[in-house]
Amino acid sequence: MDRSSKKGSKFACCFPVILDRSMKSSFKLSKSSSDKLNKSKSSICSPTSLSMKKKDQENNHLVVCFGELLIDFVPTVSGVSLAEAPGFKKAPGGAPANVAVGIARLGGSSAFIGKVGADEFGYMLSDILKQNHVDNSGMRFDTHARTALAFVTLRADGEREFMFFRNPSADMLLTEAELDKDLIQKARIFHYGSISLIAEPCRSAHLAAMEIAKKAGCILSYDPNLRLPLWPSADAARKGILSIWDQADVIKVLKFYIKS
């Protein structure tokens, strides 16, 4: 290429083009080449394709958390028993839901499956999940039972104290038919606790969800999350928690559980 042609050149092409020499005075991209270029741009750079790619990546790392979502009432001062507390403030609670929020805050992709009451607390909890970028499409709302409540404190002697209001609460009434099976099957990890094993119909829903996740090739993550006051007895808690122990790929174990 001579100096004059180099000087007059404004564009450098790094993709194959078809040149149309029908006009003596200039070169131009033929229609077929232009169409190919436009298609290439749309497939690589369009917001839709990028969004779909991001969605696929999120699904490949999705953690679906199953179980309870409730309102915790904690004392306004620390180191007191529930009876000594001058007042309480409400906070979102439920171990599986906490995991879902934690994953989302760390930049991961998470979803929650569970049931709350069709009441102000239930809708508030659903909104909190959404605000924290947790997929709440697997949540269900019960019109006949209330959202679970728990009063919890850490006393000055280091012991935790709980008082639960679940007679029954909505989370205990989740049925197998209400499970979002498609959401479970999209998960890379399926995480759950043991509280959902205490009573029917939630126990059956829990076991069915585990089976769906297992068949889909999910990693099963188990947090025993022992809450003795919720079980009929310590022996019932031990049997219930151990009943699904061998199916988990990952188990969160605390020294407290071993001592118990």
Side-chain angles (χ1 to χ4, degrees):
M1 183 180 292
D2 60 24
R3 292 182 63 184
S4 61
S5 61
K6 186 181 293 186
K7 185 177 180 180
S9 176
K10 295 182 180 179
F11 303 101
C13 293
C14 58
F15 50 86
V17 297
I18 301 173
L19 296 176
D20 185 345
R21 297 176 183 247
S22 59
M23 296 181 66
K24 294 182 180 179
S25 60
S26 65
F27 292 106
K28 66 179 181 180
L29 288 175
S30 72
K31 187 176 186 301
S32 60
S33 179
S34 178
D35 288 345
K36 289 178 182 178
L37 176 58
N38 289 334
K39 289 180 180 178
S40 175
K41 284 183 177 179
S42 64
S43 63
I44 296 174
C45 304
S46 72
T48 302
S49 62
L50 291 175
S51 177
M52 290 176 65
K53 185 176 181 181
K54 182 179 179 182
K55 193 69 176 178
D56 289 340
Q57 290 175 340
E58 288 177 351
N59 287 340
N60 289 337
H61 300 89
L62 178 64
V63 179
V64 173
C65 301
F66 174 94
E68 67 278 5
L69 176 59
L70 61 144
I71 297 292
D72 281 335
F73 285 94
V74 296
T76 52
V77 296
S78 60
V80 298
S81 68
L82 292 177
E84 295 168 338
F88 297 88
K89 58 182 178 181
K90 68 179 186 297
N98 287 340
V99 170
V101 171
I103 289 169
R105 287 182 176 178
L106 290 171
S109 177
S110 64
F112 176 78
I113 292 178
K115 199 172 192 180
V116 293
D119 51 43
E120 289 302 311
F121 284 149
Y123 296 129
M124 182 194 81
L125 291 169
S126 176
D127 288 342
I128 288 174
L129 289 183
K130 188 174 182 180
Q131 290 163 11
N132 282 275
H133 308 292
V134 175
D135 182 345
N136 63 359
S137 61
M139 286 186 65
R140 302 294 179 259
F141 298 85
D142 197 302
T143 57
H144 301 292
R146 297 296 188 185
T147 300
L149 306 178
F151 288 79
V152 56
T153 187
L154 182 64
R155 300 190 315 228
D157 60 7
E159 291 296 319
R160 293 180 299 175
E161 188 177 345
F162 295 93
M163 184 183 295
F164 297 94
F165 289 82
R166 292 160 38 99
N167 295 306
S169 53
D171 60 295
M172 301 167 67
L173 302 178
L174 181 70
T175 66
E176 181 179 348
E178 293 175 307
L179 293 175
D180 189 332
K181 297 179 181 179
D182 290 338
L183 183 59
I184 296 172
Q185 290 169 340
K186 291 177 183 176
R188 181 73 180 92
I189 298 174
F190 184 68
H191 177 77
Y192 48 88
S194 67
I195 291 176
S196 45
L197 295 171
I198 295 174
E200 293 290 356
C202 190
R203 174 180 168 80
S204 293
H206 182 143
L207 297 177
M210 284 179 59
E211 186 63 23
I212 294 168
K214 186 176 181 180
K215 288 182 178 179
C218 302
I219 295 171
L220 300 186
S221 170
Y222 183 26
D223 174 11
N225 191 31
L226 179 63
R227 294 290 182 266
L228 278 177
L230 293 177
W231 292 86
S233 66
D235 186 56
R238 185 177 293 105
K239 288 180 179 178
I241 289 172
L242 292 178
S243 68
I244 59 171
W245 192 273
D246 293 341
Q247 298 181 51
D249 299 298
V250 180
I251 300 175
K252 173 187 174 184
V253 179
L254 303 178
K255 290 182 180 179
F256 170 74
Y257 299 155
I258 298 173
K259 291 178 181 179
S260 300

